Amino acid sequence: MAVIAIYSPKGGVGKSTMAVNLAWCSSTISNKRTLLWELDPQRGASYLLGEDEEHGKPAFSVFSKDRPASSIITATEIEGLDLLPSDGSLVELDSYFSQLGKKRRLAKIAEGLQSEYQVIILDCPPVMNEVARQIMRAADLIIVPLSPSPLARRSLDLVRLELSRIVKSHAAILPVFSMIDRRRSLHRDACAGQPDWPIIPMSSAIEQVAVRRAPIGAFQRSCPASAAFINLWKGIEVKLEKMR
């Protein structure tokens, strides 16, 4: 099983959109049994997958009361893709982890799901706290979406620094340019400076993900933006294979 975190301490870089579309690629392109685990209380991934109502079992209880994750996991309309949804109760997670003293609580829960799923994708909140450190200990690969701005690049440096401080983390980092508009010189220059980083373009088709509440591949699979997510996913699979 591979655990892939879509994480950045900076908000507004398209984490939930990327998580949903990569989860679609994993389940549909690679035919892998996939779980999208939503850790952000804002519930962006749930919304993008058409989930309207918060479930009746608080997501926090998976961590605090040993409630089986399977009791909250729901099937999505996408074959092979399940969702472990978030809710507002997860605002308590940082203080709980800080008091708990078990640094691999999230990792242990993920490991308990390995008989059911080949891929777990974590849709992460934009925080730099104990929740982030739990995510880094659990992940095999951390995807860091970045806009081509100095503040976004600084967030990547923060992730690298924090990861270097964490004991018993084997995670690798993959920066990904997000929302790139090649008509803008700043964007072109940023991409030219990092030619090996994957690129997700700014696209009206990607904006439709939030309107249609579905992954882009489900309604416009042949467009360049969909191809960018598929190519990113294929690159992730190659990277994971090399890490084994």
Side-chain angles (χ1 to χ4, degrees), residues 22 25 29-30 228-239:
L22 290 180
C25 290
I29 302 298
S30 297
F229 280 118
I230 293 171
N231 289 335
L232 172 58
W233 173 250
K234 290 179 178 178
I236 289 170
E237 288 193 302
V238 170
K239 191 171 182 68

Side-chain angles (χ1 to χ4, degrees), residues 58-131:
F60 180 66
S61 64
V62 171
F63 301 95
S64 65
K65 297 181 179 179
D66 292 318
R67 181 190 295 276
S70 58
S71 69
I72 294 178
I73 290 172
T74 61
T76 73
E77 295 184 0
I78 300 163
E79 186 175 356
L81 176 60
D82 290 345
L83 173 69
L84 205 172
S86 171
D87 56 50
S89 68
L90 290 189
V91 298
E92 304 174 44
L93 201 53
D94 177 53
S95 60
Y96 175 74
F97 280 152
S98 298
Q99 297 170 15
L100 184 65
K102 296 180 180 179
K103 298 183 181 300
R104 299 190 73 254
R105 177 65 168 147
L106 195 154
K108 290 293 185 182
I109 296 172
E111 289 166 6
L113 296 167
Q114 63 184 349
S115 64
E116 298 295 327
Y117 299 99
Q118 296 166 278
V119 175
I120 294 179
I121 294 179
L122 307 178
D123 180 31
C124 306
V127 295
M128 183 62 80
N129 55 17
E130 185 56 30
V131 174

Side-chain angles (χ1 to χ4, degrees), residues 8-173:
S8 171
K10 187 178 185 302
V13 292
K15 290 187 296 295
S16 293
T17 299
M18 187 171 291
V20 165
N21 282 283
L22 290 180
W24 179 87
C25 290
S26 175
S27 59
T28 304
I29 302 298
S30 297
N31 295 313
K32 291 184 176 179
R33 187 70 178 164
T34 303
L35 176 68
L36 177 53
W37 188 350
E38 183 179 47
L39 294 166
D40 190 341
Q42 297 181 73
R43 300 186 75 248
S46 289
Y47 179 84
L48 294 178
L49 287 172
E51 298 288 331
D52 289 315
E53 301 295 331
E54 293 192 9
H55 50 83
K57 301 172 183 176
F60 180 66
S61 64
V62 171
F63 301 95
S64 65
K65 297 181 179 179
D66 292 318
R67 181 190 295 276
S70 58
S71 69
I72 294 178
I73 290 172
T74 61
T76 73
E77 295 184 0
I78 300 163
E79 186 175 356
L81 176 60
D82 290 345
L83 173 69
L84 205 172
S86 171
D87 56 50
S89 68
L90 290 189
V91 298
E92 304 174 44
L93 201 53
D94 177 53
S95 60
Y96 175 74
F97 280 152
S98 298
Q99 297 170 15
L100 184 65
K102 296 180 180 179
K103 298 183 181 300
R104 299 190 73 254
R105 177 65 168 147
L106 195 154
K108 290 293 185 182
I109 296 172
E111 289 166 6
L113 296 167
Q114 63 184 349
S115 64
E116 298 295 327
Y117 299 99
Q118 296 166 278
V119 175
I120 294 179
I121 294 179
L122 307 178
D123 180 31
C124 306
V127 295
M128 183 62 80
N129 55 17
E130 185 56 30
V131 174
R133 290 185 279 275
Q134 290 266 345
I135 288 166
M136 291 180 188
R137 293 185 190 101
D140 298 301
L141 181 62
I142 301 171
I143 309 296
V144 184
L146 299 163
S147 60
S149 73
L151 281 177
R153 293 294 298 274
R154 183 173 177 271
S155 70
L156 176 61
D157 293 337
L158 291 173
V159 174
R160 286 172 168 160
L161 178 61
E162 191 64 30
L163 187 61
S164 71
R165 294 172 173 169
I166 295 175
V167 178
K168 294 184 178 179
S169 174
H170 59 277
I173 294 176

Side-chain angles (χ1 to χ4, degrees), residues 170-212:
H170 59 277
I173 294 176
L174 177 62
V176 177
F177 279 127
S178 179
M179 299 181 289
I180 292 295
D181 183 351
R182 291 188 181 275
R183 295 171 298 179
R184 301 171 65 177
S185 59
L186 175 67
H187 292 217
R188 292 195 304 272
D189 292 346
C191 294
Q194 301 292 342
D196 296 332
W197 289 7
I199 296 171
I200 302 298
M202 184 176 289
S203 166
S204 59
I206 293 177
E207 292 174 348
Q208 285 295 310
V209 170
V211 176
R212 295 173 180 254

